[in-house]
Amino acid sequence: MTDSCKKMKIAVYTGTFNPLHVGHLAIMKYLTHKHDFGMVYLVVSPQSPFKEFMKVETGSERYLAALDAVSRHPELSVHVDDIELNLPAPQYTIRTLDALKAREPENEFTLIMGADNLADIRKWKDYRRILTEYGAAVYPRKGYDMEALRDSLMSECRGGKGGGSGVDCRGKYRIMLMEDAPMVDISSTQIREGIAAGRDMSSYIM
């Protein structure tokens, strides 16, 4: 956590990280070296609302594994955070962001996500609050047009209302496209499947 007397811009990078891999590492390096974020909070989720098959009890194990992985990269300004492990289920991102803000009201939090998540963000609980109160910084994913996704979401704010729902959108969505961020072509799912098939996936694991 940060010094409570000093305001800092925090990049909130959430996920199940099962396991952490070189793609996650590339994004964290990019965030700490090429942006003005003072710190990256790597928030380990016990269970994604969209991944109900995941065993909740593995959350603490993945948190410890993340601590170990990040410790091998002292050049990174990354804090592995267990805040979601102590929040009631379901672990909605808006609840995590609100909990971080309550814990550290002096800091400014921005959610980090891939373009694939931006494509589905309308399915997320209180996504309008996420985009107006916290904002998102988006890195590219193969097969997704980040500009088109952003423009589609921003169109909800034109005229002052959110998508015709009556939700006030005058604050406008804050969506920053990190177009020069590395393209992540590997996923934790692919790594788990490779291991299950007996392939050596060690070069992909962080």
Side-chain angles (χ1 to χ4, degrees), residues 8 21 41 44 51 58 70 75 82 84 90 95 108 112 120 140 142 156 163-164 169 180 190 194-196 198-199:
M8 186 177 291
H21 54 67
Y41 282 8
V44 179
K51 298 178 181 178
T58 64
V70 170
E75 76 280 5
D82 64 350
E84 278 202 4
R95 292 179 180 172
E108 178 183 336
I112 307 302
D120 289 333
K142 187 175 181 180
E156 294 182 4
C169 196
D180 59 340
Q190 290 172 314
I195 293 172
R199 297 195 297 274

Side-chain angles (χ1 to χ4, degrees), residues 21-52:
H21 54 67
V22 292
H24 298 131
L25 176 59
I27 295 299
M28 286 188 283
K29 285 183 175 179
Y30 173 82
L31 292 170
T32 57
H33 297 315
K34 293 193 175 182
H35 271 275
D36 60 347
F37 292 112
M39 182 73 70
V40 177
Y41 282 8
L42 188 76
V43 178
V44 179
S45 302
Q47 184 173 8
S48 166
F50 299 108
K51 298 178 181 178
E52 295 182 356

